[in-house]
Amino acid sequence: MSPRLILFDCDGTLIDSQASIVAAMADAFIACGRDAPTPAAVRAIIGLSLHEAMVALTGETTHAATLVDAYREAHRARVTGEGPHEPPFQGMV
């Protein structure tokens, strides 16, 4: 009997969601007049709350809320079609 349903885990399996997070984080920092963190630094904080991530990336709490808002705006723009979408991993298309 052939399968009737096949499910794929898209996030991190078929699409490179970390690339979108790194790009949105760069957009947020630049929008706030800061240098973008390195991709390696952003990948290291994935899984933390946004506030904890901003504190870890900046070493301070003063502007964390502003950076969180900027990140949410940048990420929303990417996932709603206003910006580049999450790229598929090589060979997934």
Side-chain angles (χ1 to χ4, degrees), residues 16-59:
D16 185 3
S17 52
Q18 287 189 7
S20 182
I21 293 168
V22 168
M25 195 66 75
D27 292 347
F29 271 65
I30 291 167
C32 291
R34 294 174 167 257
D35 292 334
T38 66
V42 175
R43 282 179 167 73
I45 55 84
I46 291 175
L48 297 177
S49 73
L50 284 175
H51 185 268
E52 291 172 323
M54 297 311 180
V55 171
L57 289 170
T58 63

Side-chain angles (χ1 to χ4, degrees), residues 8 13-16 86-93:
F8 291 97
T13 303
L14 300 177
I15 59 169
D16 185 3
E86 294 177 330
F89 283 112
Q90 184 176 1
M92 290 297 115
V93 175

